Amino acid sequence: MTTIANRKGEIMLERAEDASQFWAYDFSYSKDADLTLLDNVQFIYELSLAELELRAFGADYEVTNGLREFKLNNKSNELNEKIIKKSSYLKSVGKNFTDYFQIIQKNRTRSVNQYLTHWVYPYKGKFHPQMIRALLNIIGLKEGDTVFEPFSGSGTTALEAQLLGINFIGIDISPLCVLQGKVKTNSVYAIDEITKSKNVLISKIKPSLFNQEQDFYKVLEGIKDNNTRDFYALTRLLAVSDESRRGRSFEQSFIKNLNLMIDSVKDYKEITETLHLKLGNVNLKEGDSRNTELPDNSIDGIITSPPYSIALDYIENDAHSLEDMGYKLNEIREDFIGVRGKGRERVELYNNDMKKSYSEMYRILKPNKYAVIVIGNATYQGQEVKTVEFTVDYMTGLGFKLERNILKLIFGLYNVMKKENILIFRKVK
Ligand SMILES: C[S@@+](CC[C@H](N)C(=O)[O-])C[C@H]1O[C@@H](n2cnc3c(N)ncnc32)[C@H](O)[C@@H]1O
C-alpha cells in the first residue's frame, strides 16, 4: 500500500532529479584545472559570490568546464596561497585542497553546512556559513580587521570570522543567542577542562539531572571556567529544545549531544592545528543594536541579517530554553525588534527600530568600508511588507551607496521558493 509518507518520498526524489537540470554538468573534472568548485555549490548566486571573491583576491580568471572550473590568467604563488587559505566555494587549487574543503570535512551532522560547532543549537533562521565566509572576503576583511554584527543570532558570522583570523564583535538582545555564539567559538580554548569536567559533572547531577531543574544550574555554579560552564549550559538547553520541539527523551538527548559536542570541539581544535589557523578574537555580549555603545568610525565591516521576518516570533520560537534559563518572556520581549505591536503598528515599530539600528551601523563604521545586509520581504497578515526597499531607501539616505544587490533565490523543502537579497553598501559620505 502506498502511504502518504511514501508518496512524499517519491515526490522528493523526482524533484531532486529535476534539480540537476538547474545546473547540469559533466562530472568529469579536467586533470589540470587551475581552480575547481566544491560539489556543494549548486545555486547561481553562489557562483556569483565565488567570482566576486576571486576578484577580491586579485585573480584574473575565466569560468570553464560547465561553470565548474576556473582558469587563472595571472598565476603566482602568492595568489595561490591566498585562494587556498581563504576561499569559500573552491575544492582545490591545482593539486592542493583548499583550507575550506578540509574544514567542512569535520562535520558530525548530516547537513553539509553544519560543520565544526555550527550545529550546536537548532536555531531557526541561521545564515549559510559558506556564504558568510565569502562575504567576509568580498568586502576585503583581512586577518586582524574587526567585523561587527548587530544581530548576531546563532553566531554564524562569529565562527566564520574566527576561522579567517578576523576579529569579531557581536551583540544580540537574546541571551540564548549570545550563549550559542560563545559556545561555538570559545569552547575550542576550553576543551581540556570540558572533557575533564564531564564525568565529575554527570556523577554529581545524576540521578536528579533529569528531573530537578534547579540542581543542574547549582552544580554549574561550581565550575570556575566560564567557557566550560557555558558549554554545559547549552548542552542542557539543546536537550530542553529536543524534548519540547521534537518530543525526544531529555536524558538520551543530553548524553548523545554532549558526546557529539565534545567531538565537534575536538575536531575544531585539530583542524586549527593541522591548518595552522590563527583564530580571530571573538567578543560577544547581550546588547541592543539601536544603541551599540561602540565608538564612531571604529569598525572595518558589518555583516548581518536583521529580524526581517516580523512574522517570525524569535521569543516564541525559543520560549522553552529562555524560560529554562530563568527569563520572563514578557519582560525580555520589550527590547526585541519585530515582535511588538499588532497589525500596522507592528510594522511601524519595526521600521522605527530598524532606522535606529541602521543609523548606528553608519555611525560606527569607518568611512569607505562595507555593510552587508541580508534581508527579504516578509509576509505579515497576508500582505507583503517591503522591507528590502525600505532598507535600501533608508541606508542610502544615511550616506551609504548600494554597491551590489545580489538576489539569493533558493528552493527549500517541497520546492518552496525563498527569496532574499544580499545588499552590499559602502559608507561614502
Ligand atoms: C535573523 S536573526 C539573525 C540570525 C543570524 N544571522 C544567524 O546566522 O543566526 C535576527 C536576530 O536579531 C535579534 N534581535 C532582535 N532585536 C534585537 C535588538 N534590539 N538588538 C539586537 N538584536 C536583536 C534576535 O534575537 C535574532 O537573533
Side-chain angles (χ1 to χ4, degrees):
M1 199 178 72
T2 315
T3 62
I4 292 174
N6 256 337
R7 181 75 196 117
K8 267 191 189 161
E10 280 166 32
I11 294 171
M12 290 194 61
L13 252 181
E14 279 164 27
R15 291 197 172 148
E17 275 158 15
D18 275 356
S20 65
Q21 287 163 19
F22 288 175
W23 191 341
Y25 59 91
D26 183 348
F27 272 105
S28 59
Y29 291 114
S30 326
K31 272 200 207 86
D32 52 359
D34 290 333
L35 312 174
T36 309
L37 274 183
L38 277 161
D39 293 342
N40 70 14
V41 179
Q42 44 172 333
F43 297 111
I44 297 296
Y45 84 87
E46 295 182 301
L47 182 63
S48 305
L49 293 180
E51 289 198 49
L52 286 176
E53 199 180 50
L54 282 175
R55 275 187 230 168
F57 296 149
D60 174 9
Y61 62 87
E62 285 162 47
V63 188
T64 57
N65 196 12
L67 308 178
R68 301 305 300 184
E69 292 172 0
F70 297 88
K71 181 172 170 305
L72 275 181
N73 295 324
N74 59 339
K75 285 183 198 156
S76 74
N77 287 345
E78 195 194 335
L79 179 61
N80 271 7
E81 183 63 14
K82 203 187 260 181
I83 301 176
I84 288 175
K85 296 295 302 166
K86 295 181 163 205
S87 70
S88 318
Y89 290 109
L90 297 175
K91 179 175 186 175
S92 52
V93 177
K95 303 259 173 291
N96 299 308
F97 287 128
T98 59
D99 276 13
Y100 189 67
F101 174 71
Q102 297 180 67
I103 289 170
I104 63 175
Q105 306 312 310
K106 301 282 181 195
N107 189 335
R108 301 275 166 178
T109 76
R110 277 180 295 177
S111 163
V112 206
N113 309 316
Q114 299 298 293
Y115 47 88
L116 300 182
T117 49
H118 274 302
W119 69 274
V120 299
Y121 189 84
Y123 182 77
K124 257 202 185 167
K126 276 182 192 174
F127 267 151
H128 203 305
Q130 192 174 23
M131 173 182 89
I132 297 303
R133 182 176 171 100
L135 288 170
L136 287 163
N137 287 323
I138 290 168
I139 65 171
L141 294 177
K142 301 187 178 59
E143 251 185 42
D145 285 347
T146 300
V147 65
F148 172 63
E149 179 159 34
F151 302 98
S152 65
S154 63
T156 312
T157 311
L159 178 51
E160 288 303 320
Q162 184 182 38
L163 283 165
L164 283 170
I166 296 166
N167 299 326
F168 176 88
I169 300 179
I171 54 173
D172 199 286
I173 203 77
S174 158
L176 174 65
C177 285
V178 174
L179 181 66
Q180 288 171 54
K182 282 187 176 170
V183 172
K184 285 179 190 180
T185 53
N186 288 340
S187 303
V188 66
Y189 303 115
I191 186 62
D192 295 341
E193 195 56 39
I194 290 171
T195 326
K196 245 194 275 163
S197 312
K198 180 180 157 186
N199 291 337
V200 184
L201 192 97
I202 288 183
S203 69
K204 267 198 196 160
I205 47 188
K206 254 185 166 176
S208 57
L209 159 69
F210 309 112
N211 307 321
Q212 295 166 25
E213 286 161 25
Q214 293 320 312
D215 285 353
F216 185 86
Y217 289 104
K218 270 215 192 84
V219 173
L220 280 194
E221 278 169 24
I223 298 179
K224 283 201 188 67
D225 178 55
N226 289 344
N227 295 334
T228 307
R229 213 167 41 233
D230 287 347
F231 179 91
Y232 282 101
L234 193 69
T235 315
R236 172 182 170 87
L237 296 173
L238 182 49
V240 167
S241 154
D242 260 1
E243 188 184 37
S244 67
R245 287 194 216 183
R246 305 190 195 170
R248 299 220 172 121
S249 139
F250 182 94
E251 179 168 349
Q252 276 171 17
S253 166
F254 185 91
I255 300 290
K256 180 173 156 235
N257 287 315
L258 173 57
N259 290 327
L260 269 181
M261 280 169 72
I262 289 181
D263 289 343
S264 300
V265 178
K266 284 186 179 160
D267 285 348
Y268 190 0
K269 182 141 192 255
E270 196 185 300
I271 198 73
T272 305
E273 286 162 5
T274 314
L275 300 174
H276 307 291
L277 301 180
K278 186 175 170 293
L279 299 181
N281 300 326
V282 174
N283 176 349
L284 255 167
K285 58 180 186 213
E286 281 165 49
D288 192 327
S289 62
R290 293 167 298 181
N291 179 13
T292 62
E293 294 171 8
L294 290 168
D296 294 358
N297 305 318
S298 60
I299 295 291
D300 300 302
I302 294 175
I303 298 183
T304 199
S305 74
Y308 63 91
S309 301
I310 55 174
L312 176 67
D313 192 323
Y314 288 97
I315 302 182
E316 278 308 310
N317 234 11
D318 290 318
H320 293 279
S321 293
L322 286 165
E323 278 172 340
D324 197 80
M325 290 171 89
Y327 290 96
K328 301 250 179 317
L329 301 187
N330 277 341
E331 283 171 18
I332 55 172
R333 179 174 283 276
E334 275 311 295
D335 291 326
F336 271 71
I337 296 176
V339 299
R340 283 175 295 130
K342 293 245 159 5
R344 185 174 277 277
E345 193 205 2
R346 182 145 170 168
V347 180
E348 270 162 25
L349 284 170
Y350 171 83
N351 286 352
N352 283 336
D353 285 342
M354 285 312 301
K355 283 181 184 172
K356 289 185 193 144
S357 308
Y358 289 142
S359 304
E360 271 295 86
M361 293 187 208
Y362 181 80
R363 184 183 66 75
I364 62 176
L365 191 64
K366 291 181 186 166
N368 272 318
K369 298 289 183 184
Y370 295 88
V372 184
I373 317 279
V374 182
I375 201 158
N377 287 343
T379 307
Y380 181 59
Q381 298 182 335
Q383 294 217 325
E384 193 182 31
V385 186
K386 301 216 176 289
T387 325
V388 179
E389 266 171 39
F390 163 79
T391 304
V392 173
D393 286 350
Y394 196 74
M395 291 285 278
T396 322
L398 284 173
F400 280 108
K401 178 168 181 260
L402 181 65
E403 296 279 359
R404 285 192 188 274
N405 179 352
I406 302 166
L407 188 61
K408 177 171 172 266
L409 277 183
I410 55 169
F411 291 87
L413 209 55
Y414 308 117
N415 264 359
V416 175
M417 190 177 75
K418 265 182 72 183
K419 209 160 125 183
E420 282 180 333
N421 296 63
I422 304 170
L423 305 172
I424 307 186
F425 295 97
R426 188 162 57 88
K427 178 171 170 176
V428 286
K429 271 191 260 165

